[in-house]
Amino acid sequence: MSLSDRVACEDVVMFVNAAVTSTGQREFRAGAAEQRMSLDFLHEYVLGNYRDLYAATLALDVNHFNAAIVVTNLLRTAHLAGPDQRAVEGRLIAARLRLLPPQRAYRVFRELRRLGVNNRRTRAIIRDWVAARPDPAFDAVKYRRSLSIAARHAHLSLPAEVGTVLFDWRRPKRYGTPILETWRRAHYEQRALYELPYTVAEGLAVRHGINRARFLTGIAPKLTDGERLRLRTSARRLEVAAIGTDLPRVPLTRLASYVLSLSRPERVRRGAELTGALRAAARRAAGRQAGSWGRVVAVLDDSYSASGSGVKRRRPLAVALATHYLLETLAADYTGLWLSHRGDPLLVHPIGPTGLGARILDGLERRPDRLVVVSDGWDNAPPGQAAEVLRVWRSRLDPEERTSVVHLNPVYESDSFDVRRLAPAVATVGVRDAEDAAALVELARFSTGTATFDELRAHLADRVARFLAVPVPVTGPGPDDAAVAA
């Protein structure tokens, strides 16, 4: 592979790692401003040098935050692309917008308005997205300001009552659409607000001066699974028994974050319930690949840096815990090795230095088919030991590469514009949700320099083709909001 192709391959993989892991928020070792400045530069760099591959990342498992930035940048710079390229980008943008949560998509439209991007293609994309929404009246209530901005910016033609409720809601004495009439009455009747989505009803409850405990008791039947999970702690504090949650329906990494937010005594008391829920979520995430990975050993980072930051509390530890249960399902024979913790994984706690070297050596002694390391990569007890262990293992003890080694890193390092690597020869990829681990392992081979740039292009082209060929489901009003609307 030529030097230019190698650099291009490294640049694209670096961007994918950043787009998977970073959300522009404060991390353990970097502030939000550093994260955003680093990420903004990386977006501009890849957009300017590899525009076709930049657009192709919309077909990968990049997080919603970065997918929204990619969509905005492609529309903002559409004049720099040729007709054929714009056609492909338009299809990718439309498909990705349908996968975004509604609030994210509306945020993209607000940003386009702020930037003054209002060409015909942008208006058509906004029009088609809004037209595909399952319930415009629901959006007019829950995303009222955002929908009104999108309507003005793209000159949308809305159903009569939807347009009225956005721009002159007090004029009608009554609405024919049930949810719009409920929203109108909720401004004057306390009983009506309990028929609205939680996020809408919450603000109206404050205006009516309704006690928080009373409000949560009344709104409980309308809560989504995600809202029940977020409100469970405050409901317990307020002694509101009506709020429960069906833990098996919660996604794996979100469930792991919830488990880690509980006190250790409560984790012990609810051990069987929480373990069963985590394993059920892992089985759903693994799907048909369950049991197909052979012998797997995982080295899982529970050092103090896994505590994350004030805005991403215990996020790296949650990814490690979720990956533990996912690999347990994927593997035919599995061993999980935490740096400090011993015993029940539910009781794991971030503490101590990041001593990866010794635990990697313990894992390699078992001669697994796969060794998976989940860590932020700050090997510091002693520094560099993990890299040396892996170098000697690969060069002296396993030159035939019978054991594949993959490093999943949940933390973006703003200084290097990438996730931190353990060793140059170790495949390293960024990970945000453990559910994506199986797909990310497929991408990991491009990070070591052994795969060519043409192979990377072919891989991305294949992902784009599959992404555009599969019918993309329209994202509902929000996480589980269809149930609320019903």
Side-chain angles (χ1 to χ4, degrees):
M1 183 164 50
S2 68
L3 179 60
S4 61
D5 280 358
R6 184 183 182 112
V7 169
C9 196
E10 290 174 352
D11 286 347
V12 173
V13 172
M14 177 174 64
F15 174 73
V16 172
N17 285 340
V20 167
T21 55
S22 180
T23 55
Q25 296 171 301
R26 181 158 58 94
E27 298 283 2
F28 184 81
R29 291 183 171 87
E34 299 168 62
Q35 289 275 313
R36 276 310 294 261
M37 183 173 68
S38 174
L39 197 59
D40 288 346
F41 169 79
L42 200 53
H43 273 274
E44 292 295 334
Y45 173 75
V46 178
L47 172 64
N49 290 282
Y50 315 101
R51 185 184 180 95
D52 57 334
L53 301 182
Y54 182 75
T57 60
L58 290 174
L60 302 180
D61 299 311
V62 300
N63 62 49
H64 296 322
F65 175 79
N66 283 287
I69 295 176
V70 172
V71 168
T72 303
N73 285 340
L74 290 175
L75 290 174
R76 175 177 60 84
T77 59
H79 61 284
L80 300 177
D84 293 340
Q85 195 171 14
R86 284 201 299 271
V88 175
E89 288 176 8
R91 294 175 63 200
L92 283 168
I93 289 169
R96 190 64 198 223
L97 281 174
R98 290 197 293 271
L99 289 179
L100 289 180
Q103 65 272 20
R104 286 280 186 189
Y106 279 122
R107 192 176 301 171
V108 170
F109 302 155
R110 293 201 303 271
E111 180 65 8
L112 292 171
R113 178 176 182 252
R114 188 188 69 82
L115 295 171
V117 180
N118 194 27
N119 53 58
R120 186 173 62 180
R121 188 171 70 138
T122 299
R123 292 197 301 273
I125 286 172
I126 296 175
R127 180 198 65 220
D128 292 346
W129 185 88
V130 172
R133 298 292 296 148
D135 189 352
F138 185 94
D139 279 21
V141 169
K142 184 160 185 177
Y143 309 108
R144 183 165 173 265
R145 179 174 176 273
S146 296
L147 180 56
S148 66
I149 289 173
R152 283 194 183 101
H153 189 60
H155 315 307
L156 300 181
S157 176
L158 298 170
E161 287 197 332
V162 172
T164 302
V165 84
L166 291 179
F167 302 110
D168 191 15
W169 72 269
R170 286 184 175 86
R171 179 167 54 83
K173 300 300 182 184
R174 182 178 181 83
Y175 287 99
T177 307
I179 192 171
L180 299 183
E181 175 60 15
T182 301
W183 180 77
R184 186 195 67 80
R185 288 191 296 110
H187 287 78
Y188 313 109
E189 300 176 21
Q190 292 188 14
R191 286 184 305 173
L193 67 86
Y194 294 111
E195 301 173 35
L196 293 172
Y198 165 74
T199 52
V200 178
E202 187 176 31
L204 292 170
V206 173
R207 290 178 57 177
H208 285 298
I210 298 175
N211 175 272
R212 180 70 173 172
R214 178 186 157 203
F215 169 67
L216 290 179
T217 302
I219 202 68
K222 294 291 184 180
L223 294 175
T224 67
D225 284 345
E227 289 165 348
R228 289 179 187 277
L229 198 65
R230 289 196 301 271
L231 293 170
R232 195 164 181 173
T233 302
S234 61
R236 188 166 54 248
R237 186 173 61 251
L238 295 169
E239 299 181 354
V240 177
I243 294 180
T245 185
D246 184 9
L247 290 180
R249 294 175 59 188
V250 177
L252 180 58
T253 306
R254 186 184 298 179
L255 180 57
S257 295
Y258 169 71
V259 169
L260 294 175
S261 72
L262 303 175
S263 64
R264 278 184 162 185
E266 184 169 0
R267 289 186 233 173
V268 172
R269 181 173 58 82
R270 298 172 57 195
E273 175 200 1
L274 296 174
T275 300
L278 285 163
R279 284 178 172 155
R283 286 193 296 272
R284 290 198 306 274
R288 296 180 179 178
Q289 295 188 63
S292 64
W293 277 28
R295 290 174 298 128
V296 177
V297 173
V299 175
L300 306 161
D301 186 352
D302 60 345
S303 62
Y304 183 64
S305 60
S307 59
S309 66
V311 293
K312 299 176 76 173
R313 293 185 185 277
R314 295 175 291 273
R315 181 73 191 192
L317 187 62
V319 172
L321 181 63
T323 304
H324 166 80
Y325 284 99
L326 179 64
L327 294 177
E328 182 184 62
T329 303
L330 289 170
D333 178 21
Y334 174 72
T335 303
L337 303 175
W338 296 91
L339 300 189
S340 302
H341 181 72
R342 304 294 185 271
D344 189 349
L346 285 182
L347 304 181
V348 69
H349 178 72
I351 190 170
T354 311
L356 291 168
R359 293 306 266 168
I360 289 175
L361 190 58
D362 292 341
L364 291 173
E365 282 181 346
R366 291 169 166 79
R367 299 276 177 171
D369 298 316
R370 298 175 190 257
L371 176 72
V372 180
V373 182
V374 185
S375 171
D376 62 7
W378 282 84
D379 180 39
N380 55 20
Q385 185 183 56
E388 189 62 14
V389 166
L390 291 167
R391 184 190 67 80
V392 173
W393 170 263
R394 183 61 76 220
S395 62
R396 301 290 183 86
L397 303 177
D398 187 28
E400 299 86 7
E401 300 187 14
R402 292 186 296 267
T403 297
S404 66
V405 182
V406 177
H407 174 205
L408 302 179
N409 192 328
V411 180
Y412 174 66
E413 189 179 52
S414 56
D415 290 344
S416 65
F417 304 101
D418 200 355
V419 293
R420 191 176 184 88
R421 299 174 180 273
L422 288 178
V426 173
T428 302
V429 290
V431 60
R432 175 165 171 77
D433 294 317
E435 297 92 309
D436 301 329
L440 291 170
V441 167
E442 181 186 359
L443 188 66
R445 64 190 181 95
F446 296 105
S447 68
T448 60
T450 55
T452 67
F453 188 46
D454 288 338
E455 288 176 322
L456 176 59
R457 278 189 175 277
H459 174 76
L460 290 177
D462 178 62
R463 290 294 297 267
V464 167
R466 282 187 283 163
F467 182 66
L468 295 178
V470 176
V472 180
V474 178
T475 306
D480 302 314
D481 281 345
V484 176

